[in-house]
Amino acid sequence: FEQTHKMLGVQDYVIYLLTNEFVTDWSQACRTMLMNISEFKWDEDMLKHTGISVDLLPKLVPPGSVAGTLKKEIAELAGISAGIPAILAGGDQQCAALALNVLKAGDAEANTGTGSFAIAYSEKPQFDKECRTLCSASAIPGKWIVEAGIFNSGAIHRWFREQFYPDGENVYEVMNEEAAQSPVGSNGLMMLSHFEGSAAPYWNPLAKGMFFNVSLASKRSDFTRAILEGITLEIKSNLSLIENLVGNISMVSVAGGLTSLGLFNQIQSDAFNRKVIRYDNNEASSLGALMSAGVTMGFYANYEEAFQKISAADPLVYYPDAINNEKYEKLSVRKNELYQSLNQGGVYKLFNETL
């Protein structure tokens, strides 16, 4: 510590290598727990309690700021011109929110990759009393996002494919077709997605994944659909947490590898009882960074214009089915009751003990 010149995040170090500048933006700095999320500045009380001097920290700037210009030696290595501005677009999920049109009150997104993130726009910092959600600085300067994360979602779908579907062409199409053969509720089969513990909404490292209510009548298609429904119900719980903080959510944009499955998107729409929108390009974080840079450089007047220009293709829109929504509301209650029974009954603790 005594020999430390600067304390940086990995992304800040990359900026230093590119520009020789020590600088970070609000959306990254808020993850250090040293930034006052309401005032967008290093928090004097936290610095006092930790003994960290502000001189040890990088310069704090709004997202979308020009951190510096590209060094000559880096430009030569890359075969591009020196002096190109290096722009701090923001954190990965914050940038993804830009590209998923989470730009105003009522906008939310569910980004499903290995895990899932449910994120909503907020005009002010919002905090859950039980600390189940995260409030971060948005990639839009002076705004915020409220986020709830899930450890495992797409990873479970991939695991099931690897274990129970033979290698071959179009295996995901086969899985999707089979899942569609199983009705809402997967013929009574329910999956809890806590394969590596639970993040939001339960935050329980002892929680375990499971398939419940298996019978001799259960088919592979039921398991495949139960995975999609289990993931969706966990996201639904998190969106409800967020909605209690930020107000009504009118639409949910979706992205990530699993959203290439139309059935999954329809299940989400039915369960959320919201219009679900899927845009053509799944690389939301990269597109959001492009939007941020475009606004900074003056190519676009604002983020709304940047979104319209960069994501011009008509998206796929899914609308909820009222009958299916009623069923998913009941399934959501069952999922929570199942989890609470296992947790309060001491089952998780028991099965985490060494034999």
Side-chain angles (χ1 to χ4, degrees):
F1 181 82
E2 291 176 353
Q3 298 179 54
T4 301
H5 178 61
K6 289 288 181 183
M7 302 180 74
L8 305 172
V10 171
Q11 69 285 341
D12 309 326
Y13 182 59
V14 171
I15 285 293
Y16 167 72
L17 294 178
L18 296 177
T19 67
N20 264 351
E21 301 290 340
F22 294 116
V23 61
T24 193
D25 79 276
W26 299 341
S27 71
Q28 299 284 5
C30 64
R31 300 301 179 102
T32 68
M33 305 299 289
L34 292 174
M35 192 190 85
N36 184 313
I37 189 66
S38 300
E39 300 179 9
F40 303 117
K41 64 181 184 180
W42 295 122
D43 191 280
E44 294 180 2
D45 287 339
M46 289 300 295
L47 297 182
K48 179 181 177 181
H49 285 299
T50 58
I52 296 173
S53 166
V54 72
D55 295 334
L56 283 173
L57 301 174
K59 180 183 177 182
L60 201 51
V61 299
S65 295
V66 176
T69 56
L70 201 61
K71 295 189 300 187
K72 180 180 178 182
E73 56 268 36
I74 296 295
E76 289 176 350
L77 284 172
I80 56 180
S81 301
I84 290 175
I87 297 169
L88 294 167
D92 57 351
Q93 293 304 322
Q94 288 95 327
C95 284
L98 294 184
L100 292 173
N101 201 25
V102 183
L103 304 176
K104 64 183 185 305
D107 294 344
E109 54 119 326
N111 201 343
T112 298
T114 301
S116 293
F117 294 91
I119 291 173
Y121 174 97
S122 181
E123 285 283 345
K124 59 183 180 179
Q126 299 281 5
F127 305 100
D128 178 61
K129 292 181 179 179
E130 297 180 38
C131 299
R132 294 169 295 179
T133 60
L134 180 68
C135 181
S136 299
S138 169
I140 303 174
K143 305 299 180 183
W144 292 263
I145 61 169
V146 179
E147 173 185 334
I150 300 170
F151 290 145
N152 289 278
S153 52
I156 300 170
H157 193 262
R158 183 177 65 247
W159 163 81
F160 195 76
R161 181 210 71 192
E162 293 171 348
Q163 300 302 320
F164 299 103
Y165 281 83
D167 292 335
E169 294 184 2
N170 305 320
V171 64
Y172 283 116
E173 291 183 15
V174 173
M175 292 179 72
N176 206 39
E177 290 171 0
E178 287 193 1
Q181 295 169 11
S182 182
V184 172
S186 306
N187 283 315
L189 198 60
M190 176 168 284
M191 184 208 72
L192 294 184
S193 62
H194 311 144
F195 280 48
E196 296 292 340
S198 167
Y202 303 116
W203 287 107
N204 183 355
L206 299 182
K208 297 296 183 183
M210 71 176 302
F211 290 93
F212 182 74
N213 207 27
V214 181
S215 75
L216 292 177
S218 299
K219 298 179 180 179
R220 187 173 69 172
S221 57
D222 298 325
F223 284 88
T224 306
R225 185 180 185 106
I227 289 172
L228 300 179
E229 292 184 332
I231 293 168
T232 297
L233 292 178
E234 199 81 345
I235 297 173
K236 172 181 167 61
S237 296
N238 287 336
L239 285 172
S240 295
L241 276 181
I242 294 172
E243 194 167 36
N244 288 336
L245 297 172
V246 304
N248 181 60
I249 292 173
S250 57
M251 70 89 187
V252 180
S253 298
V254 296
L258 209 53
T259 61
S260 62
L261 306 178
L263 176 62
F264 178 56
N265 299 331
Q266 187 59 55
I267 290 172
Q268 290 187 97
S269 180
D270 292 343
F272 303 160
N273 200 26
R274 298 288 187 279
K275 179 173 66 175
V276 161
I277 301 173
R278 180 182 181 268
Y279 296 97
D280 184 55
N281 194 321
N282 271 330
E283 297 300 328
S285 292
S286 299
L287 287 178
L290 177 62
M291 287 172 58
S292 177
V295 172
T296 297
M297 297 302 295
F299 301 146
Y300 311 110
N302 50 49
Y303 296 99
E304 288 77 12
E305 182 185 347
F307 175 81
Q308 292 299 327
K309 298 291 186 181
I310 292 172
S311 300
D314 291 336
L316 292 172
V317 181
Y318 300 83
Y319 295 94
D321 179 279
I323 295 175
N324 290 346
N325 173 253
E326 185 177 348
K327 293 178 180 179
Y328 281 122
E329 289 296 329
K330 294 178 181 178
L331 287 171
S332 185
V333 172
R334 290 182 186 179
K335 184 211 73 158
N336 187 59
E337 289 291 334
L338 176 59
Y339 166 80
Q340 297 297 346
S341 296
L342 292 167
N343 186 47
Q344 296 172 9
V347 176
Y348 290 141
K349 182 178 180 181
L350 176 66
F351 276 81
N352 276 279
E353 291 178 356
T354 304
L355 292 175

